[in-house]
Amino acid sequence: MPVKIVLGAQWGDEGKGKLVDILASSASMCCRAAGGNNAGHTIVANGITYDFHILPSGLINPSCKLNIVGAGCVVHLPSFFKELKALEEKGLEGVRQRIKISDRAQVCFDLHCAVDGISEEILRGKDGGKNMIGTTKKGIGPCYSDKVGRRGVTLGMLVSQSQPQSGIPKWEQRLRNLHDMYTGTYGSAALAKYEVEAEIASIKTIRDELITGNYILDATPFLSHTIGNDGKAITTSSQFTSQPPQQNGNTPSEVGANVLIEGANALLLDIDHGTYPYVTSSNTGLGGVFTGLAGLSPLSLTHPDSSIAGVVKAYTTRVGSGPFPTELGTTIPHVSSLDAEYGDKLQQIGREFGVTTGRKRRCGWLDLVLVKYSCQVNCYTHLNFTKLDVLDTFPEIRVAMCYKDRRTGQAISGFPADLDLLEPENLEIVYETLPGWETQTTGVKEWDALPQKAKDYVLFVEREVGVPIKWIGTGPRREDMIVR
């Protein structure tokens, strides 16, 4: 059975949502493997802008019959239902009938959000805030920390029908224990705005909605049964949900012919392979797909129609703290005033604001050292090169080809784990300068309609990276995509 995986190749915000939307039109199932509502995808379809956070973007297409939030995800349930409601208000139909959450996913509480904010404020007060992570304050890090510390609450635990002897549900006792632990760590004054009793009452109401709406899925046997290696497996999810089929008023349609896996965040934010510690708290790369969606066979990628698409923005952006070798700004050492102007121009033309936080994104030239490293980790079969049209008015375009240690003059092999090597005062970047095309490409849909210099830029990147560029984004709309 063909499985198509879409992953961010840089620091996120590459425009994964549009490719997912296009591929979802022929997919019967779309899955999220990791992350929480700290992620953000924007899709413009039929003149309407949709923002996705925890929900899989496949919900925008009615033909995508089932969308799954996998076991590797952390789910802030009030945000989950708020996002569903927002999609319904924009006219999307059947979204509640087409979404399931793995019973092994973790519950992200309001308590985690409060602790996330406290932790960032503590870092802000140390060393002038140099060590701030730049978290979205959505509770993602504390939730994953409690997961790894074996203190967390799974969705399966939340909706469990078992009656403990104490009379207090296990999830409630665990939340109270977490509150006691964090109060002991940070003090009651720091958590004064958080009320554990209020959250318990809220979660009880949400729990009832999860059960009656039959949102919880025993995902591992379902995925194993659905995504076989013969390409013919077709089933329904009813037998794997939290209620019998006859009690389920929202039985999803048959699924199975074509599966789409939607990555969240991006490779350089991966907890293991990103710019640690300035990363998110989950595995955002290819490895996270198979842990977050257990039951999905790696052998499915041997199907001739399977693919791993890496989404690469035609320049580079980053939200929050952490190293950014090609960043362009007036405060960055060794950046010329002209390049600083280019950085501002990228930010303004590209409308580089975070979907989740609204923060300005830091902007810089395309970094092929980073992209090549991303390709090594994620084994992309194709690339989606996005936002090419943002470069339309640039007379010249630079591309980072390799790094040197400014202190020794020695070349740096690959993308280093030692972040000191990536400090602007220590890092020298060798750039290749290409001529700009200075012609509008917004909305171009055919390869042959691109200016030759725009083609040259795409072909240069393709040749240097060694992975074919199949899709080229030329604007924000669903239709603004060249397929080669």
Side-chain angles (χ1 to χ4, degrees):
M1 171 174 300
V3 173
K4 293 180 171 60
I5 302 174
V6 178
L7 300 170
Q10 295 155 299
W11 276 294
D13 310 308
E14 300 95 349
K16 297 180 289 297
K18 186 164 71 170
L19 180 59
V20 168
D21 175 43
I22 291 171
L23 296 178
S25 64
S26 60
S28 51
M29 180 162 61
C30 180
C31 306
R32 273 279 305 273
N37 65 319
N38 58 330
H41 301 317
T42 299
I43 297 173
V44 180
N46 303 318
I48 302 174
T49 300
Y50 300 92
D51 292 333
F52 289 85
H53 298 281
I54 184 60
L55 298 179
S57 302
L59 282 171
I60 202 170
N61 286 300
S63 60
C64 189
K65 299 301 184 182
L66 185 61
N67 294 262
I68 297 176
V69 178
C73 296
V74 295
V75 186
H76 184 254
L77 292 167
S79 297
F80 172 84
F81 283 109
K82 180 179 179 181
E83 196 172 336
L84 280 175
K85 183 179 179 182
L87 294 181
E88 289 175 326
E89 289 175 346
K90 291 190 175 183
L92 290 183
E93 297 180 355
V95 290
R96 295 177 190 266
Q97 290 74 39
R98 294 187 288 121
I99 183 70
K100 299 290 180 185
I101 309 172
S102 168
D103 56 0
R104 297 180 186 273
Q106 294 275 320
V107 179
C108 182
F109 292 109
D110 289 344
L111 175 61
H112 291 126
C113 301
V115 170
D116 206 356
I118 293 168
S119 300
E120 276 291 272
E121 287 305 309
I122 291 173
L123 291 174
R124 184 190 298 275
K126 294 181 178 180
D127 300 323
K130 285 179 60 178
N131 295 314
M132 289 181 67
I133 303 300
T135 172
T136 58
K137 299 182 182 179
K138 299 292 184 180
I140 308 303
C143 186
Y144 275 113
S145 178
D146 286 332
K147 172 184 177 177
V148 175
R150 302 178 293 277
R151 301 180 294 265
V153 173
T154 66
L155 269 294
M157 185 186 301
L158 180 63
V159 300
S160 172
Q161 303 291 338
S162 62
Q163 297 297 323
Q165 291 183 346
S166 66
I168 300 176
K170 184 180 291 186
W171 70 266
E172 181 180 336
Q173 187 59 60
R174 286 202 159 213
L175 177 54
R176 292 185 186 279
N177 291 344
L178 288 173
H179 181 242
D180 290 343
M181 181 188 76
Y182 284 123
T183 300
T185 301
Y186 297 113
S188 56
L191 285 164
K193 294 182 179 179
Y194 171 79
E195 296 182 3
V196 67
E197 299 300 333
E199 177 152 37
I200 288 171
S202 172
I203 292 295
K204 285 181 178 178
T205 300
I206 291 173
R207 176 182 180 274
D208 292 341
E209 188 170 359
L210 288 170
I211 294 172
T212 58
N214 208 18
Y215 288 97
I216 309 303
L217 177 71
D218 186 0
T220 298
F222 173 73
L223 291 170
S224 179
H225 184 67
T226 304
I227 309 174
N229 294 320
D230 59 1
K232 298 178 182 179
I234 299 178
T235 186
T236 71
S237 65
S238 302
Q239 60 185 302
F240 302 105
T241 52
S242 58
Q243 292 191 36
Q246 64 269 24
Q247 296 180 19
N248 180 10
N250 297 322
T251 302
S253 300
E254 290 187 334
V255 298
N258 215 333
V259 180
L260 176 62
I261 311 297
E262 174 184 10
N265 306 116
L267 190 278
L268 272 295
L269 294 174
D270 186 280
I271 187 68
D272 291 319
H273 302 292
T275 49
Y276 184 88
Y278 302 98
V279 293
T280 191
S281 299
S282 62
N283 287 116
T284 60
L286 183 61
V289 169
F290 295 104
T291 56
L293 295 169
L296 170 68
S297 171
L299 295 177
S300 61
L301 292 178
T302 64
H303 191 286
D305 291 329
S306 291
S307 61
I308 307 169
V311 186
V312 179
K313 192 178 287 186
Y315 48 101
T316 311
T317 63
R318 179 167 195 168
V319 171
S321 306
F324 185 169
T326 63
E327 182 175 10
L328 304 176
T330 56
T331 62
I332 310 299
H334 310 294
V335 171
S336 69
S337 58
L338 177 60
D339 273 338
E341 290 179 14
Y342 285 155
D344 286 339
K345 193 174 179 180
L346 287 170
Q347 201 280 324
Q348 293 168 13
I349 296 175
R351 298 180 180 178
E352 296 295 352
F353 297 92
V355 176
T356 300
T357 64
R359 292 178 295 182
K360 278 188 177 182
R361 297 176 185 141
R362 301 153 64 190
C363 297
W365 296 120
L366 179 63
D367 186 341
L368 290 190
V369 180
L370 181 157
V371 174
K372 289 178 182 179
Y373 167 70
S374 182
C375 291
Q376 290 172 345
V377 177
N378 282 342
C379 307
Y380 306 122
T381 59
H382 303 87
L383 296 181
N384 174 200
F385 203 49
T386 66
K387 302 189 82 166
L388 181 70
D389 59 306
V390 172
L391 301 176
D392 282 353
T393 60
F394 285 73
E396 59 184 16
I397 298 164
R398 284 191 266 284
V399 180
M401 303 299 293
C402 67
Y403 300 161
K404 288 184 177 181
D405 188 329
R406 190 176 293 275
R407 298 163 297 184
T408 65
Q410 297 296 311
I412 298 171
S413 177
F415 190 84
D418 182 358
L419 299 193
D420 287 341
L421 291 173
L422 299 178
E423 290 291 334
E425 60 269 21
N426 299 332
L427 185 68
E428 179 183 350
I429 301 177
V430 178
Y431 283 105
E432 181 86 13
T433 300
L434 287 81
W437 44 94
E438 298 186 274
T439 304
Q440 182 173 319
T441 65
T442 303
V444 171
K445 300 177 180 62
E446 300 293 335
W447 170 252
D448 290 339
L450 282 178
Q452 185 58 49
K453 290 179 181 178
K455 290 183 184 178
D456 291 342
Y457 181 52
V458 173
L459 293 172
F460 175 84
V461 173
E462 182 178 72
R463 182 172 63 252
E464 291 295 325
V465 175
V467 179
I469 294 176
K470 183 174 182 178
W471 304 273
I472 303 165
T474 57
R477 300 177 305 165
R478 175 189 283 175
E479 300 82 11
D480 299 333
M481 184 79 86
I482 296 169
V483 182
R484 293 175 67 206

